Amino acid sequence: MKMKSKADVVVVGGGIIGLFSAYWLAKSGEEVVVIEKKYPGSGSTFRCGTGIRQQFGDYANIQMMKKSVEIWKNLGEMLEFPEFKFAQTGYLFLLYSDEEIESFSKNVRLQNKYGIPSRIITPEEAREIVPLIDISEVKAASWNPTDGKANPFLAVRGLLNALKNLNAEVYPYTEVKEILHRGNEVKGVKTSRGEIRADIILNATNAWAKILNEKLGLKFPIEPYKHQAVITEPFKYDEIKPMVISFKYGGAYLTQEVTSGGVIGGIDLKYGPTWDLTTTYKFMREIAKNFTHIIPALKYIPLIRQWAGYYAETPDHNAVIGKVREYDGYYIAAGFSGHGFMLAPAATKGIVDIILHGKSDLPMDFYDPYRFERGELREQAIQMG
Amino acid sequence: MRIKEHPVIDFSKKKGRKVTIYFEGKPIEAYEGEPIAEALHAAGIRVLNYTPRGRPRGLFCAIGKCSSCLMKVNGVPNVRTCITLVEDGMRVERQRGLEPLPQDYHPPKWKDATKTEGDVIIIGGGPAGMMAAISAADHGAEVILIDEQPMLGGQLVKQTHKFFGKRQQFAGVRGTKIAEILKEEIEKRRIKVFSRTSAVGLFQDGDKKMVSAVRNNKELLEFYGKAVVVATGALEKMIPFENNDLPGVYGAGAIQTLMNTYGIMPGKRVLIVGAGNVGVILAYQLIQAGVKVVAIIEAMPKIGGYFVHAAKVRRLGVPILTRHTILRAEGRDKVERAIVAKIDENWKPIPGTEKVYNVDIVALAVGLRPSIELLHQVGAQTTYVRELGGYVVRHDDMMQTTVKDIFVAGDSSGIEEATTAMLEGKIAGLAAALRVGKADLRAVNEVKKAHEELMEFRSGPFGARILEGLEKVMIK
Ligand SMILES: Cc1cc2nc3c(=O)[nH]c(=O)nc-3n(C[C@H](O)[C@H](O)[C@H](O)COP(=O)(O)OP(=O)(O)OC[C@H]3O[C@@H](n4cnc5c(N)ncnc54)[C@H](O)[C@@H]3O)c2cc1C
Ligand SMILES: Cc1cc2nc3c(=O)[nH]c(=O)nc-3n(C[C@H](O)[C@H](O)[C@H](O)COP(=O)(O)OP(=O)(O)OC[C@H]3O[C@@H](n4cnc5c(N)ncnc54)[C@H](O)[C@@H]3O)c2cc1C
Ligand code: FES
């Protein structure tokens, strides 16, 4: 495909964040192009655990996720892509100690304040939701029925479809080598296939964000960490509806994937910072061990795939979203750790509000790129799926 | 039905103890050492499961690679019954779509996996893997050989015909016999052999290699070594036609497994699709077992297999129809008929040329593709080469892939023949032994000799295409 030589906005990175941002921009009438060095979704997006939750422990992520869930629920309709479905099947955190119960109760109170119907339930109630879990050690669970999951392949396909209908272009296998600027104004991008002029550029390259930033002398602390996930053979749908989480057993998260019915999930084992994405035996073994403690019947079902992807981590595990002060026209939305898929609808709405109107009704200050410089870390967000 | 008499194989000597399994409650006679699906086939049961859309499915590959044979065994779904051996009293049921997991609330007991260390780990015990093992061991390397089947030999154990090729590579000897000879050579050496052990992961830990494997579908094993040779063979290809999933549409290898490994009649009347070596030899083997072969059809204008084999089959009264294809299989729950037609130069069926064959088996002998999953997982570079059967890994002339100290040999490096598989296995085994510091100049000379033999073999009638293919994968 021949590339345009200019556009209103260039979005660098064709993951869920880049594509969703391009969607809002194109809907507002901007001429937008997305540049992706491999194929859309190939970064972290297609490697994610599919989880979408509102059970966070701070005011900003809770409100952002509430907004996101509203959008996820209607995404199929909004994109005119009925294949996409948000499965509102809930998140179930299994709690094994009084300390865990106490800290989750505190979060539940905050979540309730913002209208999230989460609550602490008994082990027996938890077993009613997922009959296969072993509750012999479980003391309580934190349950929110309005959390859910979605298939990232369908989400990306839906967005690509919509972008096509809105005449926004996506250039795969095209790498941005450099952000062009004159003085402190950005002017476009230099790619592996030529230049594109634009006065507004959004860096949505997540784990790779620092590469382009460093060339501009910018230092936002986003580092690539290797995380892995697995999927099992499929079995009857709806045996494990919600995302089930256990900090005690490996920091595991697992659920039946929306479209296939296999169990998708991971544990809290990370390597890095690193660009290496080979899978490790240790992970496979720990998965088998921890998953079968949470749901013993999983011992009967073989794992069929294991893969690795990046969590683009910041010191407080919250993303870096906003306007870059040093260069006019340069924006960033990157560093989403383990929750960029779920946050995408609201996070991209927020950054596009900022690009187009200079402000947003969403609590975007929380993700201020300059908070680290000021030594103002947020409370670490839970990284889990 | 079981084969009573066979000109080459004596099944009475191979049979295990008689046991009873229960298929949907009905008792079925089976023999220890044979897999569930094969025992059911002998009892006339073709439909093993229904897909989520309700389509019946049966055996296809019979080597655990395609998941067409999933059943519920003792209440557990998704069991590959073609490679799960029968046990007395086993309960077997047809799986209907996605089935629930058993209600079981007991976490398994975890113990550390058994660890085995060596210099060279070889995955796959066909001709390539066995030769690699022998050659590496001869130079003093400590060798571990893993194969998922109950017996070593790979494809060879199913080949009752006498092999082509060069004298040094056992030309004129039956495949089954070659397997035995190589097995004896292995037993003479200090090679640690692990049968019924599937390698499920290939990992790197610094310079060390690690292979995780599962023995008997239950026990996790860990293997550590300095070099790995992957010789996992190939999988059968499928072609598109209506009802190509109907039970009774079997891969050629599955039919060979049924009749030559387990002494089970694959069916009564067979149509073979594909007149390459495999198709033609399969026809001969079917006739040996007393099965009627109605025809062999071939889409190409010429027969692909060795002329001598084809001539023999024709003499036995089997028509070989070139420029023909299969349009569809028909039947309720299993193959009852196959409809074929002539095709024109553009591979389009010519109306009015349809023929109906009343058969209970359609045998697909439409080619193999290399089994490269483990190499792919460990990050070896792959590329698509039609001449070699599909996706293959890039390798150099010592058979090393793009991942240091990981080698490939035999059909998994490109579909060819047992002769070349053995030579490649030899090179890979020697190269691995050299790499782990166990071999000396003699090994280098042996590699040179093996290269010469390979070149000579490939200058034969079928070599030109292979050489073209290799040109595309070789790292220079
Ligand atoms: C194992 C795992 C499990 C996870 N589970 C969950 C979960 O359950 N829920 C959840 O919400 N999140 C989860 N995540 C996190 C989630 O995947 C990410 O946060 C999210 O996908 C980030 O989207 P993105 O668009 O920012 O990044 P990406 O999808 O990584 O997109 C960035 C894109 O930029 C491209 N790019 C980079 N540099 C350039 C350049 N110079 N020029 C052009 N293109 C470039 C890349 O190729 C890439 O496609 C998980 C992540 C992993 C690894
Ligand atoms: C009908 C037919 C006729 C033939 N006739 C001839 C002939 O006349 N002359 C000739 O030279 N060649 C002939 N061949 C070809 C020859 O049999 C093959 O090319 C040869 O067997 C390839 O050897 P291999 O060792 O690469 O693979 P294979 O023989 O396929 O062996 C691979 C082995 O790897 C094991 N394995 C695979 N995956 C795993 C895993 N994950 N873990 C553990 N083990 C694993 C398998 O169990 C198998 O034992 C014929 C083939 C067929 C089908
Ligand atoms: S896996 Fe059993 S027939 Fe293929």
Side-chain angles (χ1 to χ4, degrees):
Chain A
M1 203 194 326
K2 207 175 151 342
M3 281 201 323
K4 287 185 173 176
S5 60
K6 66 188 217 354
D8 294 338
V9 186
V10 167
V11 175
V12 191
I16 191 80
I17 297 293
L19 296 172
F20 227 127
S21 304
Y23 170 75
W24 299 122
L25 286 161
K27 262 196 104 161
S28 311
E30 299 296 310
E31 186 182 355
V32 51
V33 301
V34 179
I35 301 178
E36 165 55 49
K37 74 179 161 101
K38 281 182 81 188
Y39 53 87
S42 61
S44 297
T45 299
F46 282 172
R47 300 163 197 259
C48 87
T50 76
I52 294 171
R53 76 179 140 91
Q54 300 154 92
Q55 295 186 67
F56 275 84
D58 63 80
Y59 74 98
N61 281 312
I62 293 173
Q63 289 180 78
M64 292 289 282
M65 278 312 302
K66 192 177 172 207
K67 178 77 187 168
S68 275
V69 166
E70 276 166 25
I71 299 170
W72 279 120
K73 268 165 76 176
N74 295 315
L75 192 64
E77 252 169 67
M78 193 170 104
L79 302 178
E80 294 172 44
F81 189 75
E83 286 100 312
F84 175 84
K85 279 185 190 68
F86 171 61
Q88 199 156 38
T89 43
Y91 254 67
L92 185 68
F93 287 85
L94 302 176
L95 311 175
Y96 303 82
S97 67
D98 293 342
E99 296 80 63
E100 268 191 318
I101 297 175
E102 198 175 307
S103 110
F104 274 82
S105 305
K106 198 176 115 233
N107 290 349
V108 161
R109 283 194 294 276
L110 189 63
Q111 289 152 12
N112 294 166
K113 194 176 135 197
Y114 291 102
I116 310 293
S118 54
R119 62 202 165 89
I120 302 292
I121 60 174
T122 64
E124 291 70 29
E125 286 173 300
R127 171 166 288 178
E128 264 168 43
I129 297 164
V130 184
L132 290 173
I133 51 177
D134 173 21
I135 51 170
S136 58
E137 297 169 304
V138 175
K139 285 196 156 171
S142 179
W143 163 243
N144 176 29
T146 64
D147 292 344
K149 58 192 174 187
N151 179 301
F153 294 91
L154 291 176
V156 164
R157 265 180 55 203
L159 284 165
L160 288 173
N161 243 24
L163 286 171
K164 203 165 161 197
N165 294 338
L166 290 165
N167 294 320
E169 300 210 332
V170 179
Y171 301 129
Y173 295 100
T174 308
E175 184 173 354
V176 171
K177 300 282 189 190
E178 224 178 290
I179 310 270
L180 302 172
H181 60 97
R182 194 177 309 127
N184 67 346
E185 275 176 25
V186 299
K187 285 293 167 203
V189 291
K190 189 171 141 199
T191 80
S192 50
R193 293 170 54 212
E195 289 184 9
I196 302 180
R197 302 259 134 199
D199 292 338
I200 297 172
I201 292 161
L202 174 62
N203 181 343
T205 60
N206 203 34
W208 293 267
K210 69 170 179 187
I211 300 175
L212 291 173
N213 287 341
E214 278 171 4
K215 289 187 186 164
L216 293 172
L218 300 167
K219 283 203 167 59
F220 302 114
I222 302 171
E223 292 293 337
Y225 283 84
K226 170 164 87 179
H227 282 250
Q228 299 171 69
V230 296
I231 194 158
T232 70
E233 281 182 358
F235 51 91
K236 189 163 173 279
Y237 290 107
D238 296 343
E239 296 253 297
I240 308 172
K241 277 188 180 175
M243 185 71 85
V244 180
I245 288 177
S246 161
F247 288 100
K248 180 182 164 91
Y249 286 109
Y253 64 94
L254 64 93
T255 189
Q256 269 181 292
E257 198 276 313
V258 195
T259 51
S260 76
V263 165
I264 191 170
I267 51 166
D268 185 18
L269 172 65
K270 71 174 179 185
Y271 301 82
T274 176
W275 293 113
D276 165 65
L277 279 186
T278 49
T279 51
T280 66
Y281 171 66
K282 185 171 179 202
F283 184 84
M284 179 168 89
R285 195 173 145 74
E286 290 301 305
I287 282 277
K289 194 164 160 177
N290 288 296
F291 279 19
T292 53
H293 262 111
I294 301 164
I295 299 189
L298 286 176
K299 69 187 172 197
Y300 296 111
I301 207 85
L303 291 178
I304 51 177
R305 269 195 297 287
Q306 174 187 1
W307 63 90
Y310 301 123
Y311 272 28
E313 292 191 12
T314 63
D316 59 13
H317 300 166
N318 284 301
V320 172
I321 312 176
K323 181 173 164 52
V324 175
R325 278 193 227 125
E326 291 84 342
Y327 293 91
D328 259 3
Y330 190 41
Y331 297 83
I332 182 167
F336 283 91
S337 280
H339 33 263
F341 180 65
M342 60 178 84
L343 266 169
T348 54
K349 187 116 199 18
I351 188 67
V352 168
D353 283 347
I354 293 173
I355 292 174
L356 298 179
H357 314 295
K359 62 177 174 33
S360 171
D361 294 340
L362 293 163
M364 299 307 292
D365 286 347
F366 188 81
Y367 308 99
D368 179 4
Y370 298 92
R371 67 183 185 276
F372 308 104
E373 220 174 78
R374 295 195 299 268
E376 213 180 88
L377 290 204
R378 310 293 181 224
E379 190 178 328
Q380 282 212 347
I382 303 167
Q383 284 218 77
M384 204 103 274
Chain B
M1 246 170 54
R2 291 175 189 273
I3 298 172
K4 303 258 155 49
E5 262 176 70
H6 194 282
V8 182
I9 317 168
D10 181 0
F11 290 109
S12 64
K13 274 201 285 190
K14 292 173 86 178
K15 245 185 223 154
R17 191 173 64 99
K18 206 187 235 174
V19 295
T20 306
I21 62 171
Y22 295 86
F23 170 70
E24 320 227 291
K26 271 202 325 274
I28 297 223
E29 192 177 278
Y31 294 91
E32 254 175 11
E34 69 186 8
I36 300 166
E38 279 81 342
L40 292 177
H41 194 283
I45 295 154
R46 299 280 174 89
V47 180
L48 305 181
N49 63 62
Y50 292 92
T51 68
R53 295 199 174 131
R55 295 182 69 86
R57 290 270 166 91
L59 269 178
F60 179 71
C61 72
I63 50 168
K65 302 266 186 188
C66 75
S67 299
S68 186
C69 62
L70 301 185
M71 299 184 82
K72 262 169 86 167
V73 176
N74 294 334
V76 177
N78 295 12
V79 175
R80 284 174 300 164
T81 52
C82 71
I83 54 164
T84 306
L85 302 185
V86 295
E87 281 166 25
D88 202 23
M90 217 173 213
R91 287 177 294 114
V92 185
E93 289 155 279
R94 284 189 178 128
Q95 186 162 328
R96 283 160 209 277
L98 301 178
E99 296 264 2
L101 293 180
Q103 305 239 331
D104 183 333
Y105 298 102
H106 305 285
K109 284 199 182 62
W110 273 83
K111 59 176 188 344
D112 282 336
T114 314
K115 293 183 174 53
T116 310
E117 280 195 50
D119 294 320
V120 182
I121 306 171
I122 295 165
I123 308 173
M130 289 200 285
M131 274 307 281
I134 293 167
S135 322
D138 276 349
H139 287 271
E142 286 195 29
V143 176
I144 296 167
L145 178 60
I146 307 171
D147 194 282
E148 62 188 359
Q149 295 293 330
M151 49 200 137
L152 289 179
Q155 287 290 331
L156 292 177
V157 302
K158 309 172 203 166
Q159 309 310 339
T160 52
H161 65 287
K162 293 181 176 152
F163 267 46
F164 264 68
K166 289 192 44 171
R167 263 263 309 291
Q168 295 98 306
Q169 271 78 47
F170 309 105
V173 182
R174 292 186 202 283
T176 44
K177 182 75 191 165
I178 304 175
E180 275 167 37
I181 297 171
L182 291 176
K183 213 178 112 211
E184 276 166 26
E185 292 300 315
I186 298 231
E187 280 160 8
K188 281 187 207 150
R189 292 164 175 81
R190 278 184 47 241
I191 295 169
K192 292 183 194 152
V193 179
F194 291 79
S195 294
R196 285 203 213 158
T197 304
S198 304
V200 294
L202 175 50
F203 301 92
Q204 301 213 78
D205 187 359
D207 263 355
K208 259 212 217 148
K209 313 290 171 201
M210 193 271 170
V211 175
S212 62
V214 179
R215 181 156 58 188
N216 287 331
N217 234 340
K218 292 193 187 69
E219 187 193 354
L220 184 64
L221 304 180
E222 296 174 5
F223 297 96
Y224 295 88
K226 297 180 198 133
V228 173
V229 179
V230 176
T232 45
L235 353 168
E236 221 129 13
K237 282 187 187 165
M238 167 56 99
I239 49 167
F241 60 89
E242 202 178 322
N243 291 335
N244 63 2
D245 61 342
L246 201 59
V249 177
Y250 290 170
I255 294 175
Q256 293 187 336
T257 304
L258 280 170
M259 65 182 177
N260 297 344
T261 310
Y262 297 107
I264 294 166
M265 285 291 247
K268 294 199 179 77
R269 295 165 59 85
V270 180
L271 171 75
I272 298 178
V273 181
N277 264 331
V278 174
V280 173
I281 289 167
L282 178 70
Y284 186 68
Q285 295 179 350
L286 280 162
I287 296 166
Q288 265 183 341
V291 181
K292 167 91 182 157
V293 180
V294 300
I296 305 178
I297 60 166
E298 167 62 56
M300 300 294 280
K302 273 206 335 245
I303 294 168
Y306 284 114
F307 175 73
V308 201
H309 288 318
K312 195 153 139 193
V313 167
R314 271 201 170 123
R315 269 203 307 280
L316 290 167
V318 179
I320 303 182
L321 311 176
T322 53
R323 280 237 167 269
H324 272 71
T325 192
I326 177 164
L327 296 180
R328 65 183 175 279
E330 287 180 353
R332 258 201 66 171
D333 265 14
K334 56 184 191 237
V335 173
E336 289 163 23
R337 280 175 305 282
I339 321 296
V340 309
K342 221 174 148 65
I343 51 176
D344 62 20
E345 301 81 64
N346 303 317
W347 297 73
K348 291 257 156 33
I350 303 170
T353 63
E354 291 87 357
K355 276 198 235 354
V356 180
Y357 286 107
N358 288 315
V359 290
D360 58 349
I361 299 283
V362 173
L364 295 186
V366 291
L368 301 165
R369 68 173 178 82
S371 178
I372 58 166
E373 295 78 6
L374 291 166
L375 291 163
H376 201 268
Q377 182 228 336
V378 77
Q381 225 183 70
T382 62
T383 170
Y384 188 85
V385 181
R386 210 167 149 219
E387 293 87 339
L388 298 177
Y391 279 97
V392 286
V393 292
R394 305 198 60 211
H395 62 79
D396 63 15
D397 59 2
M398 297 296 265
M399 304 309 293
Q400 184 175 234
T401 66
T402 52
V403 183
K404 190 167 163 274
D405 300 343
I406 294 187
F407 300 82
V408 64
D411 278 354
S412 57
S413 80
I415 306 302
E416 221 176 328
E417 309 212 18
T419 315
T420 49
M422 285 185 271
L423 288 167
E424 285 185 346
K426 189 169 182 181
I427 296 171
L430 293 167
L434 279 164
R435 191 51 69 71
V436 301
K438 288 289 165 75
D440 54 24
L441 212 67
R442 281 177 310 142
V444 180
N445 287 331
E446 280 180 56
V447 169
K448 224 172 109 202
K449 207 163 137 265
H451 271 139
E452 281 160 16
E453 286 174 38
L454 262 182
M455 254 337 267
E456 194 185 327
F457 189 83
R458 284 174 180 152
S459 62
F462 293 95
R465 231 177 80 248
I466 298 290
L467 288 174
E468 247 171 69
L470 283 173
E471 197 51 32
K472 299 179 190 164
V473 286
M474 289 298 269
I475 310 165
K476 294 191 184 93

